[in-house]
Amino acid sequence: MIRASAHIAELRTELKRRGLDGFVVPRADRQQNEYLPASEERLAWLTGFTGSAGTAVILDDRAALFVDGRYTVQANTQVDGKIFSIEHLVEHPPEQWLEQNLKKGARLGYDPWLHTSDQVERLRKASAAAGADLVAADSNPIDALWRDRPAAPVGAVTLREIKLAGETAHDKLKRIRAELRKLRADALLVSDPQNVAWAFNIRGADVTHTPLALAFALIPQEGRPALYVETAKLNNSVRHTLEEFTDVREPDDLARDLNKLKEKTIRLDQASASDALTRLVAGHGGKPQRGTDPIASLKAAKNHAEIVGSRAAHRRDGVAVSRFLAWLDREAPSGKLTEIDAVAALESFRRDTGALKDISFPTIAGAGPNGAIVHYRVTRSSNRPIRKNELFLIDSGAQYEDGTTDITRTIVVGEPSEEMRDRFTRVLKGHIAIATAVFPENTTGAQLDPLARTALWQAGLDFDHGTGHGVGSYLSVHEGPARISKLGTVALRRGMILSNEPGYYKTAAYGIRIENLVLVIAAPEPVGAEKPLNAFETLTLAPIDRRLIDAQMLNRKERAWVDSYHQRVHEVLGPLVDAPTRKWLAAVTRPL
């Protein structure tokens, strides 16, 4: 906190030198990535806060840090309350705070590379309401002060084999151009590195948990595309292959190339394109067209090779997770295991597959009351023993070259209470309702979301997160545009992979979540059906804790689903695991 105090003082001096009365510092990089390289962690450098989402506003006489409900406790332990007021990112957002605290005539600075144009418009409106001006900084003042700033990443770019990608980059680019014609756009400026990775069949190593190369691309309706990536990331073979169908350029060349597109309509992704890119396009005489990047929708529907790869990845991951669950059942009753022990053990079982590239996100391992914190991250100070007669929630995933996984299991150590079994079974009923849903084409995630909540609603209960998110193919474990939630307005299409993860959380007591990944497939159509129907295939393979199921609360079809799922888990994984795990698996997957 002493360092944060010094950093704030330095920043205020620098702002005064630049003629600014304040500055907005989001946790973001130039492409709005979920995981940032160390060189982009400006918010952590300034405030000491290390959570995955947040924004700070520094004025000449006060400062505020905005975090959501996941990080309120963490922010209060990491951030000096004498310097910052801790505000709720949703309930009291920065724009509202600025209207109340900006002085009339003040000049509020921002880095146009770290905010989208939509975000800037909200900041500008708030500044105007306070009688202040919003000013785009030529460079980020923190970068001038951060003397031990880590170097930018230069992870090696690799090519995605066609047997895993299932489609050549050339064919993908043809499909992208067809979408551009529909949008009446002359070119697409690709700012999301996930979309760059998919379109050019590349993967990288610039950030943790997601195999991304931090790169941009420009795809015109006519002519060769351009890939903007530091050439230090490319070996000769990779560069040669890419140059067969695209121009490979340095990131600094992008501004110059946009100058060649005067009076052209350039499509920009409103979710990831920085305000700086919008300004560059307009400043060079182009016409910015802000909307969704068409690649996101193309990427979301997996092809045959990607689906085959995902099934293989889930079999492999199911072996690792089942070995872990069997180990946990043996060791946890001793009372000696902690949350960190469990995290380390699960990763070791995944490494034993010989195919693990990375975990797909930091593992959530919550024992007892820690399980009630939806996005809990165990630390040395919060590490809790896994105690008898408590629930243990573990949410984890893996990155394999053939697929990305994400699974949550809730386990009881000892005997559960009747309330625990009731709540677990209600969550299970919601999980089964999604897993067995049959729905017409063009059904959205919002339309399916109530199925996951009905059994909880009937008891006056609910959960405060979405039911499911999209998942990439050896890409981000959180992939748009589709999701199953109250806000999921995108239609679920065949080939999409999503999570199915209803939950229940009793504050300061326990948390429950059951998560499998599901694939949207064609459903058998009954005679006389007037619309094509879709359904879900469950990809994840690992037992669900039978000790927490109150079979009397399940109807015949629900019990049949549990038994059928467990039979499949046993049949698929049994031959692939070691003898002790096989014996354990047979016991925990027996019929209800």
Side-chain angles (χ1 to χ4, degrees):
M1 291 185 182
I2 294 174
R3 286 180 60 197
S5 176
H7 292 168
I8 291 291
E10 287 183 277
L11 178 59
R12 283 181 169 141
T13 300
E14 178 67 13
L15 293 178
K16 187 175 181 180
R17 189 185 69 79
R18 296 183 182 210
L20 297 173
D21 302 295
F23 200 74
V24 183
V25 184
R27 185 186 182 273
D29 64 3
R30 291 184 166 208
Q31 294 164 298
Q32 302 295 314
N33 283 301
E34 180 177 9
Y35 301 110
L36 306 185
S39 57
E40 299 297 315
E41 293 282 8
R42 296 178 181 85
L43 185 64
W45 177 87
L46 181 67
T47 67
F49 173 67
T50 60
S52 65
T55 297
V57 179
I58 313 301
L59 302 182
D60 57 4
D61 61 346
R62 67 196 64 193
L65 174 69
F66 300 83
V67 298
D68 62 34
R70 295 174 294 172
Y71 295 118
T72 304
V73 174
Q74 180 177 335
N76 278 297
T77 60
Q78 291 184 321
V79 177
D80 190 341
K82 296 177 182 177
I83 299 175
F84 292 92
S85 64
I86 308 299
E87 307 288 344
H88 198 288
L89 188 61
V90 178
E91 295 173 2
H92 190 210
E95 296 81 10
Q96 191 179 107
W97 187 89
L98 284 165
E99 283 191 38
Q100 299 164 349
N101 290 280
L102 263 181
K103 295 175 183 176
K104 190 172 183 178
R107 286 166 50 84
L108 178 69
Y110 75 99
D111 183 341
W113 280 104
L114 303 184
H115 301 259
T116 66
S117 293
D118 288 349
Q119 292 167 342
V120 169
E121 286 173 8
R122 291 195 294 271
L123 290 173
R124 181 168 287 115
K125 183 178 178 181
S127 299
D133 292 323
L134 185 68
V135 180
D138 292 334
S139 62
N140 196 303
I142 290 176
D143 297 350
L145 306 171
W146 192 355
R147 286 173 283 277
D148 57 349
R149 184 183 178 193
V154 285
V157 171
T158 58
L159 300 174
R160 186 91 167 131
E161 295 181 62
I162 188 64
K163 68 178 182 180
L164 298 173
E167 185 179 11
T168 66
H170 178 267
D171 288 340
K172 289 179 178 180
L173 290 166
K174 283 178 61 177
R175 289 207 284 148
I176 293 166
R177 289 188 176 105
E179 295 299 316
L180 289 180
R181 286 191 287 273
K182 294 176 188 176
L183 294 168
R184 300 181 182 276
D186 297 299
L188 171 68
L189 178 48
V190 190
S191 51
D192 186 338
Q194 296 180 56
N195 294 347
V196 174
W198 181 86
F200 291 84
N201 279 344
I202 60 173
R203 296 296 186 267
D206 284 339
V207 298
T208 58
H209 309 313
T210 309
L212 295 178
L214 298 181
F216 294 90
L218 191 61
I219 303 174
Q221 251 202 62
E222 305 291 339
R224 280 167 66 87
L227 176 66
Y228 300 89
V229 59
E230 290 185 44
T231 51
K233 300 177 183 180
L234 310 176
N235 64 33
N236 290 338
S237 175
V238 169
R239 178 163 189 153
H240 175 76
T241 300
L242 289 171
E243 287 180 335
E244 291 177 359
F245 64 90
T246 189
D247 295 330
V248 178
R249 296 177 182 160
E250 293 286 348
D252 289 345
D253 293 332
L254 178 58
R256 183 197 64 205
D257 288 354
L258 288 172
N259 196 36
K260 302 173 185 176
L261 297 173
K262 289 177 181 174
E263 300 184 7
K264 300 291 185 181
T265 299
I266 312 301
R267 182 76 170 188
L268 292 154
D269 179 23
Q270 62 187 21
S272 65
S274 67
D275 185 57
L277 290 176
T278 302
R279 294 159 65 91
L280 275 173
V281 170
H284 287 305
K287 302 172 186 175
Q289 183 193 80
R290 284 158 47 197
T292 57
D293 183 337
I295 295 175
S297 182
L298 298 175
K299 171 167 56 71
K302 310 305 186 276
N303 60 40
H304 176 72
E306 290 171 324
I307 291 169
V308 169
S310 184
R311 288 175 180 145
H314 279 89
R315 285 193 298 273
R316 184 186 309 115
D317 203 54
V319 169
V321 172
S322 294
R323 290 184 64 206
F324 164 77
L325 292 173
W327 170 85
L328 189 72
D329 255 10
R330 290 193 305 270
E331 301 296 329
S334 71
K336 296 178 180 178
L337 290 184
T338 67
E339 294 166 338
I340 288 179
D341 293 332
V343 170
L346 179 51
E347 187 168 338
S348 72
F349 285 119
R350 283 189 164 119
R351 281 198 302 270
D352 286 348
T353 66
L356 181 69
K357 294 296 183 180
D358 195 355
I359 55 174
S360 55
F361 58 97
T363 299
I364 298 169
N370 286 346
I373 304 170
V374 177
H375 292 278
Y376 172 70
R377 295 284 188 271
V378 60
T379 64
R380 293 290 173 188
S381 59
S382 71
N383 189 25
R384 191 175 188 278
I386 301 172
R387 295 185 176 130
K388 201 166 184 180
N389 302 331
E390 288 188 342
L391 298 184
F392 176 59
L393 184 155
I394 186 155
D395 183 349
S396 68
Q399 291 284 10
Y400 305 106
E401 279 193 308
D402 48 4
T404 301
T405 71
D406 185 1
I407 174 175
T408 307
R409 288 296 182 264
T410 305
I411 303 107
V412 65
V413 179
E415 290 296 322
S417 68
E418 285 305 308
E419 180 186 276
M420 290 174 181
R421 296 181 77 226
D422 175 273
R423 303 305 190 253
F424 184 91
T425 307
R426 291 180 187 278
V427 171
L428 177 60
K429 286 169 76 72
H431 181 94
I432 295 169
I434 295 292
T436 59
V438 176
F439 48 96
E441 281 192 341
N442 297 317
T443 297
T444 67
Q447 290 171 300
L448 293 183
D449 186 72
L451 298 177
R453 302 176 188 270
T454 300
L456 288 165
W457 285 347
Q458 289 168 348
L461 309 169
D462 202 356
F463 54 95
D464 291 331
H465 57 76
T467 297
H469 54 81
V471 176
S473 177
Y474 191 43
L475 276 174
S476 177
V477 74
H478 301 124
E479 178 180 271
R483 54 180 169 167
I484 304 172
S485 81
K486 298 171 185 177
L487 304 176
T489 58
V490 173
L492 306 185
R493 294 183 291 117
R494 293 172 190 176
M496 287 181 170
I497 296 175
L498 301 107
S499 65
N500 171 12
E501 51 179 312
Y504 170 73
Y505 311 90
K506 185 173 182 178
T507 303
Y510 58 82
I512 296 166
R513 188 159 64 250
I514 305 169
E515 178 186 18
N516 288 339
L517 298 193
V518 294
L519 169 70
V520 182
I521 60 172
E525 293 183 12
V527 176
E530 297 180 354
K531 292 184 176 181
L533 297 175
N534 292 335
F536 291 119
E537 171 193 333
T538 295
L539 297 170
T540 305
L541 296 166
I544 296 167
D545 196 338
R546 294 172 73 263
R547 296 166 296 191
L548 284 165
I549 301 173
D550 183 347
Q552 299 303 312
M553 293 177 62
L554 302 180
N555 62 35
R556 180 178 56 83
K557 289 185 178 179
E558 290 167 337
R559 287 194 297 272
W561 183 89
V562 173
D563 288 344
S564 175
Y565 176 70
H566 274 157
Q567 181 181 357
R568 180 172 161 235
V569 167
H570 183 249
E571 289 177 351
V572 173
L573 301 184
L576 305 176
V577 297
D578 56 273
T581 303
R582 190 178 308 119
K583 183 179 179 181
W584 173 87
L585 198 60
V588 299
T589 59
R590 66 188 187 279
L592 290 174

